[in-house]
């Protein structure tokens, strides 16, 4: 499916389930999202992490509504806490099958996201592995000069920011040197297509979710 | 107060052709007549400064013929990169103030940076080429044609879909060249494009650039190493003090011939009973692919060993493994102790690495701060305050003490970096391309600093370099890195 469609679909589903409370719908979405993730061969460790991390938030919500509320309702507590899983899992489904490049390019092509923003973010993302390497290198460089930079040392981050600023400056020049001009017209070589099936699938999923929301408790 | 920049936009080729013909009759006398039909890149009264106090370029008047191969030489920090960035129209848009005019004769220009890794927006070479060609509003058919040409020209087909940040320095330079070729610009600007290339890759790429020139492209290139340009370079421009002059044909040939590296070198082989500093046993180093698979190797203590090998073979990764920045399998011992079991903090006070990119070494802001930090931490008696002051003035860094280290030129950063690591107390220094970005004069000074320190303190030096000319008569041993193996050689 087209990355923009996936993203917007996940957004609409998230908004709808926020407005209408339906525990069964939430559970169904969670179930299908998990099936999809397993079908996409996610690593077992990632799966456990995805299920564990939201637990903290979900448990807090559950505890507040069930144990500490003046009118405790199991249905309500479960419904609200399961929403957190819906949010994380649907977004995980989007991210597992989409790269940042595809998403940014798709937004640029169909939603007129300013190219400056799209490529700025992409370039920044490409710097991230370089930054983590840089941090490691800074610590090594420090140790070689008898300066130990701990992970909470301001010097480490000051230097990391300097490296980032320097990269940002060079990156802007690098983009310009490869012909990029702000607000200039660009052609599309690697198109991210929107297929008929994208429309059909999105509409089908939305209809099913809405039916479930209306009929199920 | 300099007038704010005025670079004329590229005009349609027709206008410029006529302009070139009429105006060139009045241009300075030393061009032979046949240049009258050649369009010129013209710099008129060009003055450029990054800040108010220091002008980096002053009143440059220059005509550079198009469709030729021009070489720009001069000492470190003289303004070569700045001039190239002005020609690429990056300055003054991104930094500095400019007065005077620059006309490119209607040519489309693109530039390859000194540090190629900082020039990429996208993750892979293919995506980067798509990005660049979309900027130029090309369609898919044109893209496929240009991509094919660029890939064949630079032979990077095996790199196209690899992540750029996993490529070696030399490979990144080759990819950067491919992007420019795919963009099909008329004027190619290169800032020390071969600084991390091995001699074979360098020769290959210079021949390729000559080929581009023969296709009608204009090449302007800055370099410190002058080997390999004889018979290829058409014009040589040299910074002499603040002036930029074109050498006569005879002077040019003399300079290029002097630097042609045709000597052969001899080294001795280490003896069995030499005391070893590092011992490698069944070591494997991987970075995406297998780089090193070594059954046994001794690095001799207290000596200087040169390591050479093609781009991307894994030389820097070997150093990174030795300073525990990347993992290895098997056993690497430092004076018979496994380095993985040593405390990193203590180990790195004995074994230091001088990084390929100088700015990676800095941990402070100004030159003076860096020097003071090194002074404070040193325990050796070799680098006295006087000696440091003398070294600073010999390396021409003494006037730059209040500068921010990142604002120094590439060569100045390199000189400072090497000095800082020498002041530090390490017994072992792993030096990654110490001479890249240095002019001949600076290279000699840096070499003699390294040499004296090594001699007096009996340090073990491991040096990665492609510049045999400067290092061969000094280094004791020579290791060749090839086919995932390090082998001592006597050549």
């Amino acid at each position: 499916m087209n990355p923009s469609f996936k993203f917007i679909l996940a957004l609409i589903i998230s908004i709808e389930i926020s407005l209408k409370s339906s525990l069964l719908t939430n559970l169904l979405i969670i179930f299908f999202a998990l099936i999809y993730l397993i079908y996409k061969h996610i690593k077992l460790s990632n799966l456990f992490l995805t299920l564990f991390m939201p637990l903290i938030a979900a448990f807090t919500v559950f505890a507040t509504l069930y144990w500490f509320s003046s009118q405790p309702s199991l249905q309500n507590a479960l419904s609200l806490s399961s929403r957190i899983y819906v949010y994380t899992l649907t977004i995980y489904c989007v991210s597992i099958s989409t790269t940042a490049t595809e998403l940014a390019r798709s937004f640029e092509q169909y939603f007129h996201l300013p190219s400056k923003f799209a490529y700025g973010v992409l370039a920044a993302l490409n710097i991230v592995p370089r930054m983590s390497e840089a941090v490691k290198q800074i610590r090594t460089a420090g140790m070689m000069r008898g300066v130990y930079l701990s992970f909470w040392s301001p010097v480490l981050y000051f230097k990391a920011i300097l490296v980032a600023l320097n990269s940002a400056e060079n990156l802007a020049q690098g983009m310009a040197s490869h012909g990029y001009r702000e607000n200039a017209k660009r052609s599309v070589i690697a198109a991210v297509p929107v297929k008929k099936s994208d429309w059909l699938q999105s509409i089908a999923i939305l209809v099913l979710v809405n039916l479930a929301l209306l009929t199920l408790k | 107060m300099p007038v704010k920049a005025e670079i004329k936009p590229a005009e349609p080729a027709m206008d410029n052709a006529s302009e070139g013909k009429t105006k060139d009759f009045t241009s300075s006398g030393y061009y032979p007549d046949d240049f009258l039909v050649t369009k010129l890149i013209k710099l008129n009264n060009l003055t450029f400064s990054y800040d108010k106090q220091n002008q980096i370029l002053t009143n440059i008047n220059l005509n550079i013929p198009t469709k030729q191969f021009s070489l720009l030489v001069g000492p470190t920090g003289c303004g070569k990169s700045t001039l190239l960035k002005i020609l690429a129209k990056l300055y003054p848009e991104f930094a500095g103030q400019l007065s005077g005019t620059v006309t490119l004769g209607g040519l489309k220009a693109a530039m390859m940076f000194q540090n190629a890794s900082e020039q990429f927006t996208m993750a892979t070479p293919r995506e980067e080429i798509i990005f660049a060609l979309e900027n130029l509003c090309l369609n898919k058919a044109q893209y496929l044609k240009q991509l094919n040409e660029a890939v064949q020209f630079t032979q990077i087909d095996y790199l196209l879909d690899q992540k750029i940040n996993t490529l070696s320095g030399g490979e990144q330079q080759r990819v950067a060249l491919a992007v420019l070729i795919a963009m099909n610009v008329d004027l190619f600007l290169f800032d020390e494009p071969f600084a991390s290339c091995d001699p074979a890759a360098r020769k290959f790429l210079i021949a390729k650039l000559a080929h581009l020139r023969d296709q009608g492209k204009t090449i302007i290139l800055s370099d410190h190493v002058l080997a390999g340009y004889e018979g290829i370079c058409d014009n040589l421009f040299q910074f002499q003090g603040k002036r930029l002059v074109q050498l006569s044909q005879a002077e040019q040939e003399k300079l290029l011939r002097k630097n042609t590296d045709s000597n052969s070198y001899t080294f001795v082989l280490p003896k069995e009973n030499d005391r070893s500093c590092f011992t490698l046993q069944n070591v494997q180093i991987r970075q995406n692919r297998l780089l090193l698979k070594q059954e046994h190797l001794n690095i001799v203590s207290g000596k200087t060993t040169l390591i050479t090998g093609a781009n991307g073979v894994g030389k820097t990764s070997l150093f990174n493994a030795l300073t525990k920045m990347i993992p290895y399998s098997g056993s690497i011992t430092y004076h018979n102790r496994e380095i993985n079991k040593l405390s990193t903090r203590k180990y790195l006070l004995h074994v230091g690495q001088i990084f390929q990119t100088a700015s990676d070494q800095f941990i402070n802001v100004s030159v003076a701060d860096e020097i003071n930090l090194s002074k404070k931490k040193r325990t050796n008696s070799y680098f006295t305050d006087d000696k440091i002051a003398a070294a600073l003035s010999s390396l021409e860094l003494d006037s730059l003490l209040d500068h921010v280290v990142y604002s120094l030129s590439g060569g100045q950063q390199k000189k400072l970096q090497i000095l800082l690591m020498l002041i530090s107390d390490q017994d072992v220094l792993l030096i990654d391309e110490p001479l890249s970005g240095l002019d001949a004069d600076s290279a000699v000074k840096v070499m003699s600093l390294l040499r004296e320190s090594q001699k007096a303190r009996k340090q073990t030096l491991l040096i990665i370099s492609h510049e045999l000319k400067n290092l061969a008569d000094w280094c004791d041993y020579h290791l060749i890195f090839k086919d995932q193996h390090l082998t001592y050689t006597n050549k």
Side-chain angles (χ1 to χ4, degrees), chain B residues 328-365:
Chain B
Y328 62 86
S329 66
S331 146
I332 300 179
T333 58
Y334 172 66
H335 292 305
N336 300 323
R337 284 190 293 174
E338 188 67 36
I339 62 171
N340 266 351
K341 293 190 181 140
L342 297 169
S343 135
T344 309
R345 268 169 93 167
K346 284 184 190 147
Y347 174 68
L348 290 177
L349 292 176
H350 292 281
V351 177
Q353 182 176 358
I354 299 185
F355 300 125
Q356 195 169 1
T357 311
S359 55
D360 291 340
Q361 206 91 44
F362 303 135
I363 41 183
N364 267 323
V365 181

Side-chain angles (χ1 to χ4, degrees), chain B residues 227 257 259-265 469:
Chain B
R257 186 159 308 143
N259 281 284
T260 300
D261 185 14
S262 57
N263 301 339
S264 58
Y265 306 100
K469 194 162 94 54

Side-chain angles (χ1 to χ4, degrees), chain B residues 252-484:
Chain B
Q252 177 184 325
E253 271 169 32
K254 201 174 138 206
L255 185 66
L256 291 180
R257 186 159 308 143
K258 196 176 79 184
N259 281 284
T260 300
D261 185 14
S262 57
N263 301 339
S264 58
Y265 306 100
T266 52
F267 294 86
V268 291
L269 295 175
K271 296 185 199 73
E272 281 292 311
N273 53 0
D274 277 337
R275 205 166 84 88
S276 78
C277 165
F278 290 109
T279 306
L280 280 65
Q281 293 274 13
N282 295 320
V283 169
Q284 289 199 12
I285 298 174
R286 288 177 178 277
Q287 287 286 296
N288 294 322
R289 58 197 148 103
L290 182 67
L291 294 172
L292 180 74
K293 190 173 183 220
Q294 188 84 17
E295 277 169 20
H296 182 80
L297 182 78
N298 278 337
I299 306 276
V300 184
S301 182
K303 298 283 184 184
T304 305
T305 306
L306 178 67
I307 301 177
T308 58
N311 290 139
V313 77
K315 302 185 293 294
T316 302
S317 297
L318 170 70
F319 278 10
N320 289 342
L322 289 176
T323 46
K324 299 174 64 165
M325 296 215 304
I326 61 169
Y328 62 86
S329 66
S331 146
I332 300 179
T333 58
Y334 172 66
H335 292 305
N336 300 323
R337 284 190 293 174
E338 188 67 36
I339 62 171
N340 266 351
K341 293 190 181 140
L342 297 169
S343 135
T344 309
R345 268 169 93 167
K346 284 184 190 147
Y347 174 68
L348 290 177
L349 292 176
H350 292 281
V351 177
Q353 182 176 358
I354 299 185
F355 300 125
Q356 195 169 1
T357 311
S359 55
D360 291 340
Q361 206 91 44
F362 303 135
I363 41 183
N364 267 323
V365 181
S366 75
V367 177
D369 290 344
E370 287 284 356
I371 295 284
N372 289 336
L373 175 72
S374 285
K375 276 186 185 171
K376 203 173 96 189
K377 295 285 178 183
R378 96 200 120 158
T379 55
N380 66 77
S381 53
Y382 177 74
F383 265 101
T384 56
D385 286 2
D386 289 344
K387 202 169 185 81
I388 294 171
L392 281 171
S393 90
S394 135
L395 295 174
E396 291 163 31
L397 295 171
D398 48 348
S399 58
L400 303 170
L401 286 177
D402 55 347
H403 280 58
V404 173
V405 284
Y406 301 96
S407 70
L408 303 181
S409 81
Q412 288 163 343
Q413 289 188 353
K414 195 89 216 171
K415 290 193 278 190
L416 176 65
Q417 173 200 20
I418 292 177
L419 178 62
L420 292 173
M421 286 307 292
L422 277 177
I423 299 172
S424 196
D425 294 328
Q426 275 83 5
D427 318 311
V428 181
L429 282 178
L430 312 172
I431 312 176
D432 201 346
E433 310 217 12
L435 304 180
S436 72
L438 294 185
D439 57 273
D441 194 34
S442 302
V444 169
K445 286 174 185 163
V446 165
M447 291 289 306
S448 74
L449 257 186
L450 280 169
R451 222 168 155 157
E452 281 164 25
S453 161
Q454 194 273 337
K455 207 171 156 196
R457 297 153 77 187
K458 294 277 172 282
Q459 286 165 303
T460 308
L461 303 188
L462 272 164
I463 303 178
I464 293 176
S465 185
H466 299 301
E467 294 180 42
L468 279 168
K469 194 162 94 54
N470 280 309
L471 292 160
D473 55 342
W474 168 43
C475 292
D476 299 295
Y477 306 119
H478 183 192
L479 270 173
I480 288 188
F481 198 153
K482 198 180 170 191
D483 302 329
Q484 296 144 6

Side-chain angles (χ1 to χ4, degrees), chain A:
Chain A
M1 202 190 280
N2 183 293
S4 307
F5 272 59
K6 272 189 262 185
F7 183 80
I8 289 174
L9 190 61
L11 199 69
I12 294 177
I13 292 176
S14 302
I15 292 174
E16 286 203 25
I17 61 145
S18 311
L19 297 176
K20 175 99 173 43
S21 144
S22 161
L23 176 61
L24 274 174
T25 315
N26 291 356
L27 292 176
L28 277 173
I29 295 174
I30 292 171
F31 175 73
F32 283 112
L34 282 174
I35 298 248
Y36 180 76
L37 289 175
I38 292 164
Y39 167 74
K40 285 279 176 186
H41 299 291
I42 66 161
K43 275 194 209 147
L44 213 57
S45 55
N46 281 353
L47 183 66
F48 280 122
L49 211 62
T50 331
L51 292 177
F52 178 72
M53 291 308 273
L55 192 64
I56 305 164
F59 180 77
T60 318
V61 171
F62 181 83
T64 315
L65 291 175
Y66 190 61
W67 287 313
F68 301 106
S69 163
S70 50
Q71 295 161 312
S73 146
L74 184 63
Q75 169 85 15
N76 207 7
L78 282 175
S79 162
L80 280 180
S81 50
S82 63
R83 271 181 199 175
I84 290 161
Y85 276 98
V86 175
Y87 300 144
T88 39
L89 287 173
T90 46
I91 283 298
Y92 194 14
C93 288
V94 174
S95 71
I96 195 172
S97 53
T98 317
T99 64
T101 313
E102 284 166 355
L103 187 63
R105 293 191 55 98
S106 162
F107 273 163
E108 187 204 0
Q109 286 168 25
Y110 296 102
F111 296 98
H112 303 288
L113 180 74
S115 60
K116 184 185 178 187
F117 185 74
Y119 290 99
V121 170
L122 280 183
L125 283 177
N126 290 332
I127 289 186
V128 170
R130 219 182 298 160
M131 285 302 297
S132 67
E133 233 167 74
V135 167
K136 202 168 180 185
Q137 200 155 29
I138 295 159
R139 298 190 73 216
T140 309
M143 281 189 265
M144 290 190 302
R145 310 258 309 274
V147 180
Y148 181 72
L149 303 171
S150 60
F151 271 109
W152 51 87
S153 153
V155 178
L156 184 65
Y157 294 100
F158 175 68
K159 165 82 191 190
I161 288 167
L162 274 182
V163 171
L165 283 176
N166 203 35
S167 307
E169 165 82 29
N170 287 325
L171 201 68
Q173 290 189 25
M175 285 172 75
S177 76
H178 284 173
Y180 178 78
R181 295 282 173 275
E182 219 181 310
N183 303 326
K185 199 170 165 276
R186 304 179 74 248
S187 65
V188 176
I189 289 170
V192 187
V194 174
K195 287 182 244 132
K196 218 184 214 168
S197 60
D198 293 350
W199 283 105
L200 291 176
Q201 282 173 16
S202 312
I203 292 170
I205 293 173
L206 275 184
V207 168
L208 287 175
V209 168
N210 280 296
L211 272 179
L213 275 176
L214 289 174
T215 53
L216 302 173
K217 270 237 162 173

Side-chain angles (χ1 to χ4, degrees), chain A residues 176 180-182, chain B residues 4-5 7 48 88-96:
Chain A
Y180 178 78
R181 295 282 173 275
E182 219 181 310
Chain B
K4 181 77 182 155
I7 294 187
F48 185 87
K89 302 192 172 177
L90 293 171
Y91 291 161
E93 192 188 327
F94 286 96

Side-chain angles (χ1 to χ4, degrees), chain B residues 189-212:
Chain B
L189 302 159
F190 296 104
D191 196 358
E192 299 183 25
F194 313 123
S196 15
C197 285
D198 58 273
R202 181 187 164 85
K203 206 172 158 193
F204 168 83
L205 288 172
I206 291 180
K208 285 289 178 188
L209 296 189
H211 189 65
L212 276 180

Side-chain angles (χ1 to χ4, degrees), chain B residues 74-299:
Chain B
T76 312
C78 66
K80 298 187 294 295
S81 302
T82 308
L83 182 61
L84 288 171
K85 286 200 170 172
I86 291 171
L87 289 172
K89 302 192 172 177
L90 293 171
Y91 291 161
E93 192 188 327
F94 286 96
Q97 287 189 311
L98 178 144
S99 65
T101 57
V102 181
T103 41
L104 296 186
L107 300 183
K108 270 193 299 170
M111 171 170 174
M112 178 169 144
F113 296 175
Q114 204 166 11
N115 188 353
S117 67
E118 287 172 339
Q119 203 171 355
F120 302 109
T121 311
M122 310 297 282
T124 68
R126 189 192 299 276
E127 286 177 3
E128 186 68 33
I129 290 176
I130 291 177
F131 169 70
L133 297 191
E134 285 185 340
N135 291 333
L136 302 178
C137 282
L138 265 56
N139 62 32
K140 192 158 186 186
Q142 290 167 317
Y143 150 72
L144 288 172
K145 186 172 154 276
Q146 309 275 69
L147 175 77
N148 199 13
E149 253 168 45
V151 166
Q152 282 196 348
F153 197 89
T154 51
Q155 300 180 4
I156 56 152
D157 37 345
Y158 66 105
L159 300 175
L160 264 185
D161 295 303
Q162 285 193 39
K163 293 255 187 236
I164 289 173
N165 54 30
T166 64
L167 305 183
S168 79
E171 286 170 335
Q172 287 180 348
Q173 288 185 323
R174 203 180 269 216
V175 170
L177 175 62
V179 178
L180 300 199
I181 288 171
M183 288 170 75
N184 196 23
V185 290
D186 313 303
L187 170 59
F188 287 79
L189 302 159
F190 296 104
D191 196 358
E192 299 183 25
F194 313 123
S196 15
C197 285
D198 58 273
R202 181 187 164 85
K203 206 172 158 193
F204 168 83
L205 288 172
I206 291 180
K208 285 289 178 188
L209 296 189
H211 189 65
L212 276 180
R213 183 256 329 261
D214 297 338
Q215 290 175 353
K217 307 289 187 190
T218 307
I219 314 279
I220 303 177
L221 188 146
S222 80
D223 206 342
H224 287 300
V225 183
L226 298 180
Y229 292 113
E230 206 188 348
I232 287 176
C233 161
D234 300 305
N235 314 288
L236 206 153
F237 298 92
Q238 189 173 37
F239 275 94
Q240 297 175 346
K242 286 267 171 196
R243 293 189 322 134
L244 179 58
V245 295
Q246 182 174 24
L247 299 190
S248 71
Q249 209 62 32
E251 287 172 314
Q252 177 184 325
E253 271 169 32
K254 201 174 138 206
L255 185 66
L256 291 180
R257 186 159 308 143
K258 196 176 79 184
N259 281 284
T260 300
D261 185 14
S262 57
N263 301 339
S264 58
Y265 306 100
T266 52
F267 294 86
V268 291
L269 295 175
K271 296 185 199 73
E272 281 292 311
N273 53 0
D274 277 337
R275 205 166 84 88
S276 78
C277 165
F278 290 109
T279 306
L280 280 65
Q281 293 274 13
N282 295 320
V283 169
Q284 289 199 12
I285 298 174
R286 288 177 178 277
Q287 287 286 296
N288 294 322
R289 58 197 148 103
L290 182 67
L291 294 172
L292 180 74
K293 190 173 183 220
Q294 188 84 17
E295 277 169 20
H296 182 80
L297 182 78
N298 278 337
I299 306 276

